[in-house]
């Protein structure tokens, strides 16, 4: 029963455990010959999740066949083949394995059905252990005295571990015909046996391509998906990036009333805290067939191997009773997925539909900024820009704005999903006469700095250790310790001329390569981050925004140095002879006068990055280069 999704989750877990930050990961071995391109694309797309610079698959016959099948120009495909062979990049079964600096081995036959969660893509769980895992890692997300609670809603009991969202979505998983048709076949068998989706489960289907609905229709499974609630809501990323939409108000109210840990199961690539939906504390990645299965079960405390998935017309139904065989899936793919579907759908893909073609667009070389827009605004990065950069300075008298632990993702720093009405961004939108139902979400408003700077560190699951026991957008302004939103504290520090500092643990900035996770802190006045380790992309983005990333020396961390976050922070050695990898001196002075000095490594890693930092960021650097070339 293992699928391409299960392989992806296994690889993600292995590589994250191995530690591949800053590395190129190339996949090789005889198993490649039987690995569909859709599975390869999903594995490569998960590179930010396992931390690599990139995941690379060599070009081979499978690649060429996919290009031909999806309607690429024959001459172009021939060129790809000729070029890669001439460059020694084309792989066949007879090609010797390259020499690598390090390797990992995975037997494809060992891959088992699995889910991953409840907070990170690398936290893979074998499906046969999913119920046990829920009891250990899921239900414990709520206080012990509330774990047995349930709430009555419209005649049914909403319990701890209820699956309230089941979404087939993703840009890559949904491009794999095997898992999509597998989901459709499972839905058909479930309907034929009389199974129904419980009323508390919000279901949706959002494939990445219009071709998917064509072959689901051709296979005759669309009516069954629809009957279980997996109706088409659009094409593209939905729940995977926080576009799940709100739950039914009664469900939301019941979750809050009972302090319930509700769950989402989705076929997307990412399930970081606070990303999927504000009402789901536990979020699991799964293959599309398993998404349908969990929608039918309606709960996470279900043993897929030994407990019925539900009650059918003829009695209990087990997952094994409705799981499609490999032969059934293969036959559906063979008879339903046709090359002309891709050719027809993508023949005019760049023209857009009638609405797109009829949009009125201004002429001229310069963009006409609409000062009243709450979506797009002229950003402030070039305000007061001089022709040459000022000398870089040491950082003096800084205060800690946010202090966090390990595995803080870019979603914690700059959420992409829901904009809460009582958040700084929500208050600002309301001040601009934007109604609550028109807030949209952060990902849609990333062109407006006034929204995004207020949304920085606004993740509802952020645990800022400056306010112990807190969760969400709150900090303590120093020296008095007054509690307020992180945005308000940042603006107060800026008004006071105080540089803001972030203290963090390991893997700071993991997850999606979100530019606003660096832009937002920059606009909040953050001048430096001190962490135990960084994800490569986020570290680079910090430098690109003129923020100094520092790394504790091996063996040091915030706790071993006795830092509380209430200190005044100064960083010396920046102004004089700054270079990649230089050790800088950090001085932390407590309110009681206690002084802690320690060294930290400058994680500006290349001379080019140093040029970016000297210019205040990559944007300023590029603009100055353009101006200089023009003059």
């Amino acid at each position: 029963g293992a699928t391409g999704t299960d392989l992806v989750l296994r690889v993600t877990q292995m590589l994250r455990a191995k530690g591949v930050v800053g590395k190129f990961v190339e996949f090789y071995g005889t198993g490649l010959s039987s690995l569909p391109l859709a599975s390869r694309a999903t594995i490569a797309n998960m590179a930010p999740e396992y931390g690599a610079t990139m995941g690379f698959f060599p070009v081979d016959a499978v690649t060429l066949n996919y290009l031909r099948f999806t309607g690429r120009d024959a001459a172009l495909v021939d060129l790809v083949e000729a070029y890669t062979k001439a460059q020694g990049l084309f792989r066949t079964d007879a090609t010797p394995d390259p020499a690598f600096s390090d390797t990992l081995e995975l037997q494809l036959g060992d891959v088992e059905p699995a889910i991953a969660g409840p907070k990170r893509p690398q936290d893979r769980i074998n499906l046969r252990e999913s119920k046990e895992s829920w009891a250990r890692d899921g239900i414990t997300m709520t206080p012990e005295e509330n774990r047995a609670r349930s709430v009555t809603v419209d005649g049914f009991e909403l319990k701890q571990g209820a699956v309230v969202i089941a979404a087939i979505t993703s840009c890559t998983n949904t491009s794999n015909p095997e898992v999509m048709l597998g989901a459709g076949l499972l839905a058909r068998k479930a309907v034929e046996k009389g199974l129904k989706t419980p009323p508390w489960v919000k279901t949706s289907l959002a494939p990445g391509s219009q071709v998917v609905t064509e072959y689901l229709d051709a296979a005759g499974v669309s009516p069954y998906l629809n009957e279980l609630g997996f109706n088409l809501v659009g094409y593209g990323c939905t729940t995977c990036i926080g576009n799940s939409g709100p739950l039914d108000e009664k469900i939301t109210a019941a979750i809050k009333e009972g302090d319930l840990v509700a769950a989402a199961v989705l076929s997307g690539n990412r399930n970081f805290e606070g990303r999927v939906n504000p009402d789901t504390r536990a979020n699991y990645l799964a293959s599309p067939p398993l998404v349908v299965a969990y929608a039918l079960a309606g709960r996470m405390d279900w043993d897929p191997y030994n407990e019925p998935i539900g009650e059918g017309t003829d009695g209990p139904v087990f997952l094994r009773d409705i799981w499609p065989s490999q032969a059934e899936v293969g036959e559906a793919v063979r008879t339903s997925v046709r090359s002309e579907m891709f050719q027809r759908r993508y023949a005019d893909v760049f023209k857009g539909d009638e609405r797109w073609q009829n949009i009125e667009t201004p002429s001229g070389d310069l963009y006409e900024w609409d000062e009243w827009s709450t979506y797009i605004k002229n950003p402030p990065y070039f305000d007061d820009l001089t022709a040459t950069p000022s000398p870089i300075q040491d950082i003096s008298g800084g205060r800690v704005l946010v202090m966090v632990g390990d595995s803080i993702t870019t979603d914690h720093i700059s959420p992409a999903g829901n904009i809460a009405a009582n958040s700084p961004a929500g208050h600002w939108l309301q001040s601009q006469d934007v109604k609550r139902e028109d807030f949209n979400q952060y990902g849609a408003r990333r062109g407006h700095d006034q929204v995004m700077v207020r949304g920085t560190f606004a993740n509802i699951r952020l645990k800022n250790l400056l306010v112990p026991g807190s969760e969400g957008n709150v900090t303590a302004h120093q020296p008095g310790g007054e509690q307020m939103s992180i945005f308000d504290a940042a603006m107060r520090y800026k008004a006071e001329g105080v540089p803001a500092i972030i203290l963090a643990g390991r893997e700071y900035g993991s997850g999606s390569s979100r530019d606003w996770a660096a832009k937002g802190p920059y606009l909040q006045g953050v001048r430096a981050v001190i962490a135990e380790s960084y994800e490569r992309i986020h570290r680079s983005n910090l430098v690109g925004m003129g923020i100094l990333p520092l790394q504790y020396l091996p063996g040091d961390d915030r706790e071993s140095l006795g830092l509380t976050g209430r200190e005044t922070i100064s960083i010396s050695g920046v102004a004089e002879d700054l270079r990649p990898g230089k050790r800088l001196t950090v001085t932390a002075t407590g309110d009681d006068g206690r002084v802690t000095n320690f060294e930290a490594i400058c994680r500006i890693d290349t001379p080019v990055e140093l040029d970016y930092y000297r210019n205040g960021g990559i944007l300023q650097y590029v603009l100055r280069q353009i101006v200089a070339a023009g003059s």
Side-chain angles (χ1 to χ4, degrees):
T3 68
T5 308
D6 302 308
L7 170 63
V8 171
L9 297 179
R10 178 72 176 273
V11 169
T12 300
Q13 179 192 41
M14 289 177 62
L15 290 173
R16 177 56 74 175
K18 176 70 174 176
V20 293
V21 173
K23 300 187 183 299
F24 283 43
V25 175
E26 180 173 348
F27 298 91
Y28 73 109
T30 55
L32 283 182
S33 300
S34 60
L35 193 62
L37 191 132
S39 295
R40 303 180 187 189
T42 310
I43 293 173
N45 189 45
M46 293 284 278
E49 278 59 62
Y50 45 79
T53 300
M54 65 175 293
F56 171 73
F57 285 87
V59 175
D60 60 8
V62 173
T63 313
L64 300 179
N65 290 339
Y66 180 84
L67 292 174
R68 294 188 183 100
F69 186 79
T70 53
R72 267 62 170 190
D73 181 80
L76 179 62
V77 179
D78 290 342
L79 178 62
V80 170
E81 180 176 12
Y83 177 83
T84 52
K85 286 182 176 178
Q87 293 293 330
L89 299 174
F90 192 86
R91 177 197 168 273
T92 69
D93 285 340
T95 302
D97 291 335
F100 297 106
S101 56
D102 200 357
T103 60
L104 282 173
E105 183 173 296
L106 171 64
Q107 295 290 341
L108 291 177
D110 293 341
V111 176
E112 292 187 46
I115 58 177
K119 299 178 181 180
R120 302 184 305 177
Q122 64 262 36
D123 296 331
R124 177 184 157 276
I125 306 157
N126 283 331
L127 191 62
R128 64 180 71 255
E129 300 165 359
S130 57
K131 182 175 181 177
E132 176 187 344
S133 173
W134 169 256
R136 182 181 66 248
D137 301 326
I139 197 66
T140 53
M141 298 169 71
T142 196
E144 185 172 359
E145 62 271 17
N146 293 340
R147 290 176 192 168
R149 298 186 68 177
S150 63
V151 178
T152 301
V153 183
D154 287 345
F156 59 80
E157 288 291 308
L158 193 68
K159 301 179 179 180
Q160 297 283 6
V163 174
V164 295
I165 292 177
I168 299 177
T169 177
S170 166
C171 52
T172 46
N173 247 318
T174 57
S175 295
N176 187 338
E178 290 185 350
V179 294
M180 294 303 292
L181 286 167
L185 293 171
L186 189 145
R188 184 176 70 187
K189 290 172 179 262
V191 171
E192 289 173 346
K193 287 189 175 291
L195 295 179
K196 295 182 179 179
T197 308
W200 57 83
V201 185
K202 179 177 183 176
T203 48
S204 61
L205 170 65
S209 168
Q210 295 178 353
V211 173
V212 175
T213 45
E214 280 209 43
Y215 62 65
L216 290 176
D217 290 344
V221 296
S222 293
Y224 302 99
L225 286 166
N226 289 336
E227 189 161 339
L228 295 182
F230 288 95
N231 309 97
L232 177 71
V233 297
Y235 299 96
C237 298
T238 54
T239 305
C240 185
I241 196 169
N243 288 333
S244 60
L247 299 179
D248 183 280
E249 291 181 358
K250 294 180 180 179
I251 300 295
T252 294
I255 292 172
K256 293 179 180 178
E257 177 187 341
D259 192 20
L260 304 179
V261 180
V265 181
L266 58 147
S267 67
N269 297 19
R270 292 157 190 125
N271 61 333
F272 304 116
E273 285 190 296
R275 181 181 182 113
V276 173
N277 186 283
D279 296 325
T280 58
R281 285 183 174 269
N283 302 283
Y284 292 88
L285 305 182
S287 66
L290 282 179
V291 171
V292 177
Y294 272 98
L296 291 167
R299 58 193 177 96
M300 292 306 304
D301 63 337
W302 164 60
D303 182 346
Y305 286 82
N306 300 303
E307 295 178 6
I309 194 171
E311 192 74 17
T313 51
D314 297 324
V317 178
F318 290 82
L319 181 59
R320 59 179 175 268
D321 299 329
I322 59 174
W323 192 270
S325 68
Q326 201 66 36
E328 290 174 304
V329 173
E331 179 64 12
V333 173
R334 186 186 68 81
T335 58
S336 305
V337 186
R338 298 186 292 273
S339 179
E340 58 266 24
M341 293 177 176
F342 294 88
Q343 297 174 25
R344 181 172 59 255
R345 285 293 182 182
Y346 293 122
D348 298 322
V349 67
F350 295 111
K351 291 183 179 179
D353 62 13
E354 183 179 352
R355 291 171 298 176
W356 176 260
Q357 294 173 10
N358 289 333
I359 293 176
E360 293 186 11
T361 56
S363 58
D365 294 332
L366 297 179
Y367 183 78
E368 296 181 9
W369 299 101
D370 179 0
E371 62 176 308
W372 301 109
S373 174
T374 57
Y375 278 96
I376 300 177
K377 174 181 170 290
N378 189 2
Y381 309 126
F382 304 121
D383 291 354
D384 303 319
L385 184 70
T386 57
T388 57
S390 302
I392 55 176
Q393 302 292 325
D394 290 345
I395 297 172
S396 301
R399 286 289 188 176
V400 178
L401 178 66
V402 175
M403 186 171 71
V404 289
D406 299 336
S407 298
I408 294 299
T409 71
T410 52
D411 276 81
H412 287 109
I413 305 168
S414 183
N418 176 71
I419 301 175
N422 62 348
S423 68
H427 291 155
W428 185 85
L429 287 170
Q430 291 173 74
S431 75
Q432 306 300 305
D433 296 326
V434 178
K435 297 179 180 178
R436 176 67 187 89
E437 58 267 27
D438 296 327
F439 275 14
N440 212 315
Q441 35 87 23
Y442 286 113
R445 293 190 177 273
R446 59 185 297 179
H448 204 293
D449 64 272
Q450 290 298 321
V451 176
M452 298 303 290
V453 69
R454 287 169 169 80
T456 302
F457 295 111
N459 187 297
I460 58 174
R461 304 289 176 237
L462 179 74
K463 294 177 177 61
N464 186 358
L465 301 178
L466 289 176
V467 186
S470 68
E471 191 173 59
N473 182 10
V474 63
T475 194
H477 180 273
Q478 303 301 335
E482 180 184 354
Q483 292 188 19
M484 61 187 69
S485 76
I486 293 172
F487 170 77
D488 288 339
M491 295 303 102
R492 183 179 293 189
Y493 283 137
K494 287 189 77 171
E496 296 166 347
V498 174
I501 310 292
I502 296 170
L503 299 183
R506 295 186 296 270
E507 296 179 353
Y508 184 71
S510 59
S512 305
S513 54
R514 187 155 301 145
D515 57 338
W516 271 103
K519 290 177 179 176
Y522 165 78
L523 293 177
Q524 285 190 348
V526 172
R527 295 282 304 281
V529 179
I530 310 175
E532 293 178 58
S533 65
Y534 294 88
E535 289 291 283
R536 182 196 65 84
I537 296 174
H538 184 63
R539 182 207 59 78
S540 177
N541 285 348
L542 288 174
V543 177
M545 289 307 299
I547 296 174
L548 180 64
L550 299 181
Q551 187 163 317
Y552 293 108
L553 297 183
D556 284 353
D557 57 33
R558 173 182 55 81
E559 292 182 340
S560 69
L561 294 167
L563 302 180
T564 66
R566 296 188 295 273
E567 299 88 356
T568 300
I569 304 290
S570 296
I571 303 169
S572 59
V574 179
E576 183 179 351
D577 190 30
L578 186 66
R579 60 188 182 277
K582 181 182 179 182
R583 291 192 178 189
L584 304 178
T585 299
V586 181
T587 300
T589 305
D591 293 338
D592 59 358
R594 176 177 174 267
V595 177
T596 302
N597 289 309
F598 62 95
E599 289 188 327
I601 302 168
C602 170
R603 285 301 312 275
I604 297 175
D605 290 354
T606 67
V608 172
E609 286 187 340
L610 186 57
D611 284 339
Y612 298 161
Y613 183 73
R614 290 187 183 281
N615 278 270
I618 189 172
L619 298 173
Q620 295 88 336
Y621 171 82
V622 170
L623 184 57
R624 286 190 175 112
Q625 293 291 309
I626 293 172
V627 171
S631 62

